[in-house]
């Protein structure tokens, strides 16, 4: 079994039913902020829309834990598994009408661990930990499987950042969100999903497979389901140069996993498909942190894992558990046919 640091991240950009599970979540939020900053901010706050935190830091932390609980509803985790998510609020790029809300990465990737779905393939640290539980765990208890970051510039009243928008920390999907706010909950759901494996390790600038020091280049679990309908080729069968070209090939880069295909009829927009398969985001030029590791934004209804946050999203996870199932995550069987909210019926 080999492990390697994963340096590829994915960002959620904004342009122009929280259900807190009673399931024992296999997640631990590890606060990485300095004292009095971010998740440790002691500024007093009134509880808001299902979030009973009385400080700014606690309200933020409650949102992160609620998102962890949401993913724990779908992932069929052994009770002994603990997925550790490092989290901090830092200043991220932000302009008046466009900004990075959050980013995430798997801090490590593993191959050839116990119960790996395929040999010689890189998997996120969280997925490897969940599958290799019988071997006693992979990552030391003082390290995090996932790293997540959220934009501290919101809440600061900076008109140059999204016109002074602030985070909304409510957890009630039926509540009316105040004007000029952006809900943190769907952003955290989105970023956790990247850390859990909704991302490729392919170098999109060169098309090269992930290759840590002293290792052969190998596929990652995500890229094995990428396919270009124009060239009729899977990314696994392409050369580096062919993948480099395909990464820019909207609208013909698609996902071929069977579980996503079984649920994708809920997406009603014809333009979200190429030859009957759901499109990935593959613009020219490449958008670092967004290209390939998101669905095409042409989907309707909008999906959680699009590159930009859509206003109607809150606690919906839509096709993400199906994609996780495709790449080998154990998903609770009772949820496989119930992953869409009422708005998809």
């Amino acid at each position: 079994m080999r492990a390697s640091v994963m340096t590829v991240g994915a960002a959620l950009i904004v342009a122009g039913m929280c259900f807190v599970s009673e399931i024992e979540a296999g997640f631990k939020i590890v606060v990485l902020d300095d004292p009095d900053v971010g998740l440790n901010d002691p500024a007093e706050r009134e509880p808001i829309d299902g979030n009973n935190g009385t400080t700014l830091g606690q309200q933020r932390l409650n949102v992160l834990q609620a998102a962890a609980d949401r993913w724990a509803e779908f992932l069929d985790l052994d009770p002994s598994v603990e997925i550790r998510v490092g989290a901090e609020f830092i200043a991220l790029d932000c302009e008046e009408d466009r900004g990075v809300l959050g980013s995430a990465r798997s801090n490590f990737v593993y191959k050839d661990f116990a119960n790996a779905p395929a040999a010689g393939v890189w998997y996120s640290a969280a997925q490897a930990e969940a599958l290799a539980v019988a071997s006693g765990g992979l990552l030391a208890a003082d390290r995090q499987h996932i790293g997540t970051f959220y934009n501290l510039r919101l809440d600061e009243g900076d008109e140059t950042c999204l016109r002074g928008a602030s985070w909304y920390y409510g957890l009630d999907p039926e509540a009316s969100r105040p004007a000029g706010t952006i809900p943190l909950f769907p952003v955290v759901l989105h970023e956790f999903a990247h850390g859990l494996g909704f991302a490729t390790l392919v170098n999109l600038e060169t098309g090269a497979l992930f290759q840590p020091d002293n290792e052969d280049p190998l596929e990652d679990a995500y890229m094995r389901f990428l396919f270009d309908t124009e060239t009729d080729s899977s990314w696994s069968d392409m050369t580096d140069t062919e993948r480099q070209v395909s990464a820019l090939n909207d609208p013909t880069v698609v996902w071929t996993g069977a579980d996503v295909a079984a649920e994708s009829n809920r997406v009603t927009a014809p333009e979200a498909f190429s030859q009957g398969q759901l499109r990935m985001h593959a613009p020219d030029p490449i958008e670092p942190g967004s290209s390939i590791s998101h669905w095409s934004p042409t989907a309707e209804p909008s999906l959680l894992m699009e590159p930009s946050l859509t206003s109607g999203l809150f606690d919906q996870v839509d096709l993400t558990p199906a994609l996780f199932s495709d790449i080998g995550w154990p998903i609770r069987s009772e949820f496989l046919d119930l992953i869409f909210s009422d708005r998809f019926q």
Side-chain angles (χ1 to χ4, degrees), residues 197-252:
F198 201 115
T200 184
L201 302 180
V202 172
N203 183 329
L204 301 182
E205 298 287 350
T206 66
L209 302 179
F210 184 60
Q211 184 179 18
D213 293 340
N214 302 315
E215 295 278 359
D216 293 329
L218 294 174
E219 300 177 349
D220 61 78
Y222 183 94
M223 64 149 286
R224 297 173 73 224
F225 296 92
L226 297 172
F227 188 90
D228 196 314
T229 59
E230 182 178 61
T231 61
D232 197 32
S233 300
S234 72
W235 275 37
S236 294
D237 294 334
M238 291 180 183
T239 64
D240 290 357
T241 299
E242 289 169 338
R243 278 188 293 270
Q244 179 188 32
V245 172
S246 181
L248 308 173
N249 212 19
D250 253 346
T252 64

Side-chain angles (χ1 to χ4, degrees), residues 36-103:
D36 301 333
V37 175
L39 294 160
N40 292 319
D41 194 318
E44 294 183 0
R45 289 290 187 273
E46 291 293 326
I48 179 172
D49 299 338
N51 188 332
N52 62 6
T54 57
T55 68
L56 180 55
Q58 187 61 55
Q59 288 190 357
R60 289 167 169 165
L61 185 59
N62 287 352
V63 174
L64 268 64
Q65 188 59 60
D69 291 348
R70 181 68 164 147
W71 283 124
E73 295 174 32
F74 297 95
L75 303 178
D76 193 7
L77 300 175
D78 185 280
S80 65
V81 170
E82 180 182 77
I83 297 172
R84 296 182 291 280
V85 182
E88 56 185 316
F89 278 69
I90 62 175
L92 299 172
D93 291 344
C94 198
E95 300 172 14
E96 185 176 342
D97 59 357
R98 182 179 180 85
V100 177
L101 298 178
S103 66

Side-chain angles (χ1 to χ4, degrees), residues 23-24 72-77 330-337:
I23 297 170
E24 282 294 327
E73 295 174 32
F74 297 95
L75 303 178
D76 193 7
L77 300 175
I331 302 296
R332 293 177 182 273
S333 59
E334 63 267 33
F335 289 116
L336 283 178
D337 295 326

Side-chain angles (χ1 to χ4, degrees), residues 1 29 59 73 85 97 99 118 139 159 192-194 207 218 227 238 270 274 290 316 318:
M1 177 190 69
I29 308 301
Q59 288 190 357
E73 295 174 32
V85 182
D97 59 357
L139 197 60
E159 291 293 331
F192 278 24
H194 282 311
L218 294 174
F227 188 90
M238 291 180 183
S274 178
S290 292
Q316 298 90 343
D318 48 75

Side-chain angles (χ1 to χ4, degrees), residues 82-160:
E82 180 182 77
I83 297 172
R84 296 182 291 280
V85 182
E88 56 185 316
F89 278 69
I90 62 175
L92 299 172
D93 291 344
C94 198
E95 300 172 14
E96 185 176 342
D97 59 357
R98 182 179 180 85
V100 177
L101 298 178
S103 66
R105 63 170 181 257
S106 176
N107 287 332
F108 301 88
V109 290
Y110 288 86
K111 67 173 184 177
D112 300 329
F113 49 88
N115 300 315
V121 174
W122 292 112
Y123 291 87
S124 72
Q127 184 175 359
E129 192 78 62
L131 293 172
V133 60
S135 67
L138 302 175
L139 197 60
D142 62 345
R143 310 192 80 175
Q144 294 90 53
H145 302 89
I146 297 171
T148 64
F149 309 87
Y150 306 96
N151 201 335
L152 189 62
R153 293 182 63 186
L154 278 74
D155 290 344
E156 293 183 342
D158 181 359
E159 291 293 331
T160 67

